[in-house]
Amino acid sequence: MTVNPAHTALWPAPHASGAVDATVHVPGSKSVTNRALVLAALASEPGWLRRPLRSRDTLLMAGALRAMGVEIEETVSSSSSGAGGQDGTGEAWRVLPTGLHGPATVDVGNAGTVMRFLPPVAALADGPIRFDGDPRSYERPLHGVIDALRVLGARIDDDGRGALPLTVHGGGALDGGPVSIDASSSSQFVSALLLSGPRFNQGVEVRHTGATLPSMPHIRMTVDMLRAVGAQVDTPESGGEPNVWRVTPGALLGRDLTIEPDLSNAQPFLAAALVTGGKVLIPDWPERTTQPGDRLREIFTEMGGSCELTEFGLVFTGSGALHGIDVDLGDVGELTPGIAAVAALADSPSTLRGVAHLRLHETDRLAALTKEINELGGDVTETADGLHIRPRPLHGGVFHTYDDHRMATAGAVIGLAVDGVRIENVATTAKTLPDFPELWTGMLGQ
């Protein structure tokens, strides 16, 4: 077996010599890019995605759609610097929905959006579509999507695993209609069915039956993006039944969409301002957004910073003090690793709640954060639904990432304040944040 050198290489996390003062252009949102690709592929006319994120997850999504027959043309404007500029300013993807067909094999990598959003699309294809991915992808729950698609009329072979690998035998159409699912382990189960719902013969009515539903902002993002391309969606927020979403069948419009910066990927840079008592400007921060990362403004302010949304973007300033926090992160679980990193450096304990579902993410993030912070001298304990963090003086050491991009950036945040932190496989950040090491050292002026 050949070992990827990037997995064994240890990246010395830069130690901050003083307060940061930087402008950081954060690339486009993965969540928006991948939803936009799916909707454009299902549209009745061509569409454009401008400033899309180019990362492992989005390239896997584009590659999967191409394998199913969708044409995606990549262009770079002549006015942009280099290959689209580091922030992708000059890049655009033109999506031509030329019909879905198999046979095809889709590599999902370890991308939750690809493994969950595309089986419903594959059910609309003409022919078999096989889904496979990284070893960790076999452990991530897919039963919500698989079981629901069978109820809606799809034929799927998964050998009873409720997980990858699997084959969807597309019949060129899907009946659709009402279905009940338990999406407690991932809101992506709901989004997956809603995104393809307009193309089902009867549309779709998704009823969530579980006790909890994490990451509601991501469902709101799905609904907003569906409505923007002409879909009719009834939601609990719009006067519908609690925990029920209805999508009416109909054609989707091609759109010319500019992708917002990924606010969750802005987290380590905002944390750097907080940890060092410095200032960071994130250009093009949207005034209104469904991205969960927007909540960082509130959370990091409570932990000791201040922010201002200006005509240039979000200016975040650290005060030089770091305070603990007691916070429910159920709606914004992906922010947990970065918040835990800051909490480990704070002046008082923190409790992070509502994130039991993180045990099923790219890795078991609660176990991973506990182990890695504690091995640097920290005092973190797992709770039933989160973490309790008691700050202690930390020391250098190896911070393992478990092929999880947010573990890598969390380690980098700790490294700002703790000399001698070395991050194993920092290259895993390419999943959603290409060129992270260069962006990080550039922010620090190193």
Side-chain angles (χ1 to χ4, degrees):
M1 176 179 171
T2 302
V3 177
N4 185 335
H7 287 225
T8 56
L10 297 179
W11 183 65
H15 186 64
S17 56
V20 301
D21 186 356
T23 297
V24 181
H25 289 269
V26 176
S29 163
K30 176 203 74 173
S31 298
V32 174
T33 299
N34 275 358
R35 282 166 173 78
L37 280 169
V38 171
L39 291 172
L42 295 173
S44 58
E45 57 192 358
W48 287 91
L49 275 66
R50 302 190 188 277
R51 299 182 67 171
L53 174 66
R54 284 185 62 88
S55 72
R56 186 182 188 217
D57 279 17
T58 60
L59 294 176
L60 284 167
M61 180 67 85
L65 291 169
R66 286 186 177 115
M68 287 191 269
V70 178
E71 290 186 28
I72 302 174
E73 301 172 351
E74 302 184 30
T75 64
V76 179
S77 69
S78 58
S79 61
S80 65
S81 60
Q86 193 168 49
D87 60 350
T89 304
E91 186 159 2
W93 293 350
R94 186 167 185 249
V95 182
L96 294 92
T98 50
L100 300 164
H101 57 79
T105 298
V106 166
D107 176 14
V108 310
N110 190 19
T113 52
V114 182
M115 70 180 73
R116 292 168 183 148
F117 292 177
L118 289 189
V121 176
L124 297 167
D126 186 6
I129 311 291
R130 177 175 168 80
F131 290 82
D132 209 338
D134 297 353
R136 170 64 180 172
S137 72
Y138 293 9
E139 302 170 26
R140 299 186 69 182
L142 266 181
H143 53 85
V145 173
I146 294 169
D147 295 346
L149 285 174
R150 285 182 175 139
V151 169
L152 297 173
R155 181 176 150 222
I156 300 174
D157 292 337
D158 69 336
D159 293 331
R161 288 183 301 270
L164 291 170
L166 59 86
T167 299
V168 179
H169 295 273
L174 195 68
D175 289 341
V179 65
S180 296
I181 62 171
D182 182 351
S184 300
S185 59
S186 177
S187 69
Q188 289 175 354
F189 294 167
V190 175
S191 287
L193 298 169
L194 299 184
L195 286 168
S196 292
R199 289 285 306 273
F200 299 165
N201 294 339
Q202 303 173 44
V204 72
E205 176 188 285
V206 181
R207 184 179 299 271
H208 167 60
T209 60
T212 61
L213 184 57
S215 303
M216 274 297 297
H218 277 127
I219 296 178
R220 286 193 284 270
M221 176 187 292
T222 297
V223 170
D224 279 6
M225 293 184 69
L226 276 162
R227 287 173 173 162
V229 294
Q232 181 180 327
V233 189
D234 296 322
T235 70
E237 293 88 351
S238 60
E241 291 181 63
N243 292 325
V244 177
W245 294 262
R246 293 185 181 91
V247 180
T248 303
L252 298 178
L253 307 174
R255 272 204 64 196
D256 190 322
L257 176 67
T258 299
I259 307 295
E260 297 173 354
D262 193 312
L263 306 188
S264 295
N265 277 342
Q267 181 181 37
F269 306 101
L270 301 181
L274 194 56
V275 168
T276 68
K279 181 172 69 174
V280 168
L281 165 65
I282 308 291
D284 303 317
W285 193 287
E287 287 189 33
R288 178 192 171 277
T289 181
T290 51
Q291 288 193 60
D294 194 45
R295 196 159 161 224
L296 287 167
R297 292 193 285 165
E298 167 200 335
I299 293 169
F300 277 172
T301 295
E302 188 174 339
M303 296 186 82
S306 62
C307 63
E308 181 184 6
L309 198 54
T310 72
E311 60 181 308
F312 304 108
L314 183 73
V315 179
F316 190 86
T317 307
S319 64
L322 287 178
H323 308 309
I325 191 170
D326 186 327
V327 62
D328 188 325
L329 299 175
D331 277 353
V332 292
E334 65 196 50
L335 304 180
T336 302
I339 293 168
V342 174
L345 303 169
D347 58 13
S348 57
S350 294
T351 300
L352 313 184
R353 294 178 282 107
V355 287
H357 61 286
L358 293 192
R359 295 186 169 98
L360 300 170
H361 274 219
E362 280 80 346
T363 187
D364 178 341
R365 284 179 170 163
L366 300 184
L369 287 164
T370 299
K371 179 177 182 293
E372 298 309 313
I373 294 174
N374 286 352
E375 289 195 353
L376 299 183
D379 185 0
V380 181
T381 53
E382 281 192 61
T383 64
D385 71 339
L387 299 172
H388 188 60
I389 302 167
R390 303 168 195 80
R392 292 175 55 180
L394 302 181
H395 55 71
V398 175
F399 195 93
H400 298 91
T401 63
Y402 310 90
D403 290 322
D404 186 334
H405 55 133
R406 301 208 191 280
M407 286 296 296
T409 53
V413 169
I414 292 173
L416 292 172
V418 180
D419 209 358
V421 173
R422 292 169 295 155
I423 297 175
E424 168 260 346
N425 187 21
V426 74
T428 195
T429 53
K431 178 179 170 69
T432 60
L433 188 51
D435 305 320
F436 170 74
E438 291 79 7
L439 286 168
W440 195 247
T441 53
M443 171 193 69
L444 294 167
Q446 297 183 8

